[in-house]
Amino acid sequence: MFFESGTLLAQAPARPNSAAQAAAAPQTQRSASAGAVGIVTGDVEGTGIRMASDLARLLDSDNDLRVIPIAGKSSLLNISDLLSLRAIDAAIVQSDVLAYFLKTGRQPNVQTRMLYIAKLHSEEFHVLARMQFTCLQDLNERRVSFGPRESGSAITAEAVFEGAGIRPDVLYLEHEDAIDKLKKGEIDALVSVGGKPSRAFDRITHRDRVHFLDVEYLPSLQQSYLPAIITKEDYPELVAPNESVGTIGVSTVLFVHNWHPQSERFRNVSRFAEKFLTNFETLKGGTFNPKWREVNIRAPLKGWTRFQPAERWLAANAAAKAQTVASPQAVSQLKTMLQNFVESQRGSGADEEELFNQFVRWYQQQGTQPPPRQR
């Protein structure tokens, strides 16, 4: 007998063939699952699975915790899996998918059945188009793949194109199919949401006569998305030297199932949350994914409740937050963030004052207050 979630298959224990085995089975089963926390993320090529693997590498303990990354198919399905599959305790999902999920009403009382530990990294919105198209507006009535229907890429693409007033001829293709069709000239562009540099673009280069298009950070997008930038350092074979592409990013969020406080699953998830937060700074260095460096574990998620053990940890460690914000490293990081933000908006037509105000709104979404502007 098998259960399936995303691409992971797990086999149930075989039936005991003796009285001794039958008597020992419950103890063996408890020890095998003790401290286990299953995390469903994006597909095997996505950033989420690499982030979950980092958590497993850092937090796994022989005594009390085992983190099991599980490759899923989309943020929308990850939410359904978290709420319905027994193997899943946690999920990494795109923040904009949450509003879509609520709107569809697929699961009753979803905001009480799943709680968040922290916002994680952002995933960039990539629009890869044939070379003759120079801006997003050029894709009006053109054949554009948004990714599989109801995937995170498709949900974000629908919001971005609608906000910009652009109506392409939308196709909902698997990414690999879209790449092949773009190379052959059978479609005009494709959309993919993923943390840069995304492995989704390993099979295509500028020699295929394609490039990334800028995505303007419109007011209609500023409540749900962040400014982002794509450079040659991210994609050496797709971005020219000294060129940058302005786009948007969507936050990802680490959610957990709201298990009963007296249950073993709740204790497992509580242990996971506390160890993750305690060891978070370690994830910003070494050989861990560089996306950890942009995570602010204190950033709030409007409309959702933080997992209580995580909330208690953050309150107990408030002093560490103040020291971090005041450190020279934090000041340097803030300057870099502002520089990248302004660079991402180059050519948008906004003046300096408007750009700074946009940066303040974005920075406030990270859960901290920006310093006053110096004149």
Side-chain angles (χ1 to χ4, degrees):
M1 178 178 179
F2 294 83
F3 69 81
E4 182 175 357
S5 172
T7 59
L8 180 74
L9 296 176
Q11 187 171 13
R15 185 186 301 275
N17 56 16
S18 71
Q21 286 177 319
Q27 181 178 358
T28 302
Q29 188 174 16
R30 281 197 303 272
S31 63
S33 62
V37 173
I39 304 180
V40 64
T41 72
D43 62 36
V44 293
E45 297 295 333
T47 307
I49 195 70
R50 288 179 278 163
M51 304 290 273
S53 297
D54 284 346
L55 291 175
R57 184 155 60 98
L58 178 65
L59 304 180
D60 272 12
S61 167
D62 293 336
N63 299 321
D64 61 0
L65 183 62
R66 182 184 175 206
V67 179
I68 306 173
I70 301 170
K73 293 184 177 179
S74 71
S75 288
L76 201 65
L77 288 177
N78 288 354
I79 295 174
S80 296
D81 289 347
L82 177 62
L83 296 175
S84 59
L85 295 186
R86 294 182 62 187
I88 308 300
D89 298 282
I92 297 176
V93 301
Q94 288 177 207
S95 58
D96 61 341
V97 173
L98 299 171
Y100 181 88
F101 195 87
L102 289 173
K103 184 172 67 175
T104 60
R106 298 189 179 193
Q107 297 277 359
N109 305 316
V110 63
Q111 287 173 292
T112 61
R113 296 172 61 196
M114 51 186 274
L115 309 170
Y116 78 100
I117 292 178
K119 279 187 176 182
L120 297 184
H121 61 287
S122 63
E123 301 207 327
E124 284 72 29
F125 184 75
H126 303 75
V127 182
L128 189 66
R130 292 163 61 193
M131 200 65 76
Q132 63 262 44
F133 304 109
T134 60
C135 63
L136 212 59
Q137 286 71 20
D138 288 347
L139 298 179
N140 196 55
E141 298 184 353
R142 295 291 184 171
R143 292 167 61 84
V144 180
S145 173
F146 279 9
R149 193 178 297 274
E150 294 193 337
S151 66
S153 290
I155 290 169
T156 306
E158 288 162 3
V160 170
F161 278 78
E162 181 180 350
I166 302 169
R167 298 179 179 274
D169 179 8
V170 179
L171 295 87
Y172 294 96
L173 304 175
E174 293 288 344
H175 182 76
E176 292 301 315
D177 291 340
I179 287 286
D180 289 338
K181 289 184 180 296
L182 186 62
K183 285 182 174 182
K184 297 174 183 176
E186 296 176 5
I187 63 174
D188 298 303
L190 64 84
V191 169
S192 176
V193 176
K196 65 175 188 178
S198 171
R199 295 173 180 170
F201 299 102
D202 285 352
R203 293 179 49 242
I204 194 165
T205 74
H206 66 91
R207 288 179 289 276
D208 294 301
R209 304 294 298 163
V210 296
H211 67 151
F212 290 118
L213 297 184
D214 286 295
V215 178
E216 187 177 354
Y217 191 48
L218 298 169
S220 60
L221 303 176
Q222 291 171 14
Q223 292 301 313
S224 301
Y225 303 100
L226 310 174
I229 189 169
I230 297 171
T231 68
K232 181 176 175 61
E233 286 68 34
D234 303 316
Y235 301 101
E237 295 298 321
L238 286 168
V239 180
N242 302 318
E243 180 184 1
S244 62
V245 180
T247 186
I248 63 166
V250 54
S251 295
T252 57
V253 187
L254 176 60
F255 275 96
V256 293
H257 191 106
N258 190 10
W259 297 112
H260 191 281
Q262 301 304 318
S263 67
E264 182 182 3
R265 302 294 285 273
F266 178 87
R267 289 191 291 272
N268 291 347
V269 172
S270 296
R271 193 177 301 117
F272 163 74
E274 291 164 2
K275 290 190 73 171
F276 162 58
L277 296 172
T278 300
N279 292 278
F280 171 70
E281 291 299 322
T282 303
L283 290 165
K284 293 184 175 182
T287 58
F288 296 107
N289 195 298
K291 276 288 183 180
W292 287 112
R293 297 168 196 161
E294 65 185 46
V295 176
N296 179 357
I297 56 176
R298 295 180 179 275
L301 183 63
K302 186 177 180 180
W304 294 83
T305 302
R306 200 186 297 265
F307 185 48
Q308 191 59 39
E311 192 70 58
R312 285 197 301 266
W313 188 97
L314 292 172
N317 292 272
K321 171 193 173 185
Q323 291 175 3
T324 301
V325 171
S327 69
Q329 182 181 4
V331 173
S332 176
Q333 183 181 22
L334 177 61
K335 290 180 179 178
T336 301
M337 290 162 62
L338 178 57
Q339 181 180 0
N340 288 344
F341 178 85
V342 173
E343 181 70 17
S344 74
Q345 298 305 297
R346 187 175 57 187
S348 67
D351 59 25
E352 182 181 352
E353 186 72 26
E354 182 181 350
L355 283 176
F356 182 80
N357 290 337
Q358 289 179 7
F359 175 75
V360 168
R361 288 195 294 271
W362 169 72
Y363 193 78
Q364 286 172 336
Q365 292 182 38
Q366 311 308 295
T368 53
Q369 291 297 321
R373 186 178 185 184
Q374 296 181 352
R375 297 183 179 275

